[in-house]
Amino acid sequence: MRMYDVIKKKRDGGELSTEEINYFVKGVTDGSIPDYQISALCMAIYFKGMTSRETCDLTFAVRDSGDRLDFSEINGIRVDKHSTGGVGDKTSLVVAPIVASLGVKVAKMSGRGLGHTGGTIDKLEAIDGFQTTLSDADFMKQVNDIGFAIVGQSRQFAPADKKLYALRDVTATVDSMPLIAASIMGKKLAADDDCIVLDVKTGSGSFMKTVEDSKALAKLMVDIGKSAGKKMVALITNMDRPLGRAIGNSLEVIEAVETLQGKGPADFTEVCLTLAAYMLSLAGKGSAEECRAMAEKAIADGSALKKLIETVGAQGGNKKLIENPATFAKAKYSHAVKSVRDGYIGAVDTEAYGLASLALGAGRNTVEDEIDYSAGIILKRKTGDFVKAGEEIATLYSCNKQSFARAEEILLSATEVCKDKPAEEPLVYCIVE
Ligand code: URA
């Protein structure tokens, strides 16, 4: 088989066979196919798409490109949730403790942020001492003992995706539905969970800009998961604005803790409760409505917060930071971004908000970049809120004072201030089962 012929077939709109897809992914993994040919096929897929059969084959080949986890030593149903990536998306820090506090096991592997979206592992590393690597034995013991453990992805986990994603990122081929589905589901299926809830983001801060595209992506991923024997559900959630008010690692951990204390922002709390309800329901705890009530109670009675504190302690993190989030290290400098006119906050470019946070030092442009865990943004006004000229829209935090000018410029040009109050948009558009 020749890679040239595989590229040409897809370029001309052909359907690749299982053998051709396996040949491609094997060559990506062992380095025998050069980057320019991998990139060329990604571009051909971007333009010509893939059938569901091809997408399933690509997903399974990505899953099988490295180690597959065996969670059989974990007692009970294991449930995971995965977000397609957004700005201010700290839901894992809230939903996993809720679900674990209600007796369902959460054995979670999470990623780091790259580009405008944050990553759960970076947020956890904002907690002093928190270990994001555990041996398989310690990981499973922790899940059995306290119901929840969370680690980063090891190098041998779906290595084909690592290579593919790095090349897609620099060849403008990230936002292709079959490539996203195979990337996300390849990794999810390499882990050994029984049930998966997908949080498919839609809008200006996500890869899928329209609800229709997000639904199609969700359906594709749900079908792939089901064909691999998993219980699946996907929620289409709003990313036309950041989730909650905090963007940036320690700021988001603080907001997650406040949410578990029952004091979180309404939009973020609502999305967390809905995700937790579907995770519990897939795990057989009752209907989505019953499970939502259970999730609300786990926040109200403090058991979910207790579970987060227990997990942080078990993974070497400083529990005192979670017990009293006011003790998190503060950024050296802060800066108020003020509105130049009166009006309602209208449409915002959520991706640009993520980029503003990146400019402050909260994320990485390359994998080698160091993060300023205290950097980020607290939004004082969000879409639909009224603001007067001179009033604060957001507070910026950073240890690098020079970064404020650029971040402010990005934020202001990403925020529309308009005369009329914008129509309310749903937080959860629909459920794909
Ligand atoms: N997240 C992933 O893991 N892969 C993609 O392709 C997009 C989002």
Side-chain angles (χ1 to χ4, degrees), residues 92-112:
S92 290
L93 302 178
V94 173
V95 297
I98 292 177
V99 169
S101 75
L102 290 160
V104 173
K105 300 287 171 23
V106 186
K108 192 144 185 51
M109 318 233 1
S110 287
R112 294 186 183 280

Side-chain angles (χ1 to χ4, degrees), residues 56 60 63 68 185 189 222-230:
C56 251
F60 295 160
R63 172 195 67 188
R68 289 193 54 190
M185 291 308 293
L189 297 181
V222 164
D223 288 347
I224 293 170
K226 283 187 176 170
S227 74
K230 309 289 179 192

Side-chain angles (χ1 to χ4, degrees), residues 82-85 161 165 168 174 176 179-184 187 207:
H82 182 84
S83 152
T84 55
D161 179 63
Y165 195 89
R168 287 167 57 212
V174 169
S176 145
L179 293 177
I180 295 177
S183 166
I184 292 177
K187 286 179 293 218
F207 296 114

Side-chain angles (χ1 to χ4, degrees), residues 176-403:
S176 145
M177 230 178 266
L179 293 177
I180 295 177
S183 166
I184 292 177
M185 291 308 293
K187 286 179 293 218
K188 284 291 115 185
L189 297 181
D192 191 14
D193 289 295
D194 304 298
C195 317
I196 304 169
V197 175
L198 297 169
D199 179 5
V200 179
K201 303 286 183 197
T202 193
S204 63
S206 80
F207 296 114
M208 293 292 124
K209 306 293 182 203
T210 67
V211 177
E212 282 321 302
D213 279 353
S214 304
K215 265 197 216 169
L217 176 64
K219 178 154 183 357
L220 190 57
M221 293 196 288
V222 164
D223 288 347
I224 293 170
K226 283 187 176 170
S227 74
K230 309 289 179 192
K231 286 183 161 183
M232 300 286 306
V233 68
L235 274 63
I236 312 292
T237 65
N238 191 326
M239 200 25 81
D240 263 325
R241 62 202 69 171
L243 196 51
R245 295 194 175 273
I247 308 169
N249 298 290
S250 58
L251 297 174
E252 291 191 43
V253 176
I254 294 168
E255 188 166 80
V257 173
E258 287 168 354
T259 303
L260 287 171
Q261 290 169 335
K263 302 183 294 194
D267 62 341
F268 177 57
T269 304
E270 174 60 28
V271 172
C272 288
L273 287 170
T274 312
L275 285 167
Y278 278 92
M279 288 169 81
L280 291 162
S281 183
L282 272 195
K285 288 282 181 183
S287 68
E289 294 71 36
E290 287 161 350
C291 290
R292 186 191 162 101
M294 290 160 64
E296 281 172 1
K297 184 162 176 292
I299 291 183
D301 68 14
S303 52
L305 179 59
K306 208 163 137 229
K307 189 57 69 184
L308 180 66
I309 294 170
E310 208 179 348
T311 306
V312 167
Q315 292 192 222
N318 181 358
K319 290 197 289 187
K320 293 206 176 78
L321 290 172
I322 309 299
E323 285 160 353
N324 181 8
T327 53
F328 263 99
K330 305 273 180 312
K332 231 164 155 179
Y333 306 106
S334 65
H335 174 80
V337 176
K338 294 179 178 161
S339 180
V340 288
R341 68 180 77 87
D342 292 1
Y344 289 95
I345 306 290
V348 300
D349 177 349
T350 310
E351 181 173 342
Y353 276 48
L355 294 173
S357 172
L358 194 70
L360 294 167
R364 313 181 174 77
N365 286 304
T366 72
V367 263
E368 285 84 29
D369 285 354
E370 293 258 321
I371 285 187
D372 171 358
Y373 290 107
S374 63
I377 305 169
I378 293 289
L379 300 171
K380 302 286 183 175
R381 301 285 197 291
K382 290 187 65 178
T383 300
D385 292 341
F386 189 78
V387 65
K388 283 195 166 145
E391 280 181 353
E392 219 177 327
I393 295 178
T395 313
L396 310 181
Y397 295 92
S398 181
C399 291
N400 173 11
K401 226 176 179 171
Q402 272 73 45
S403 63

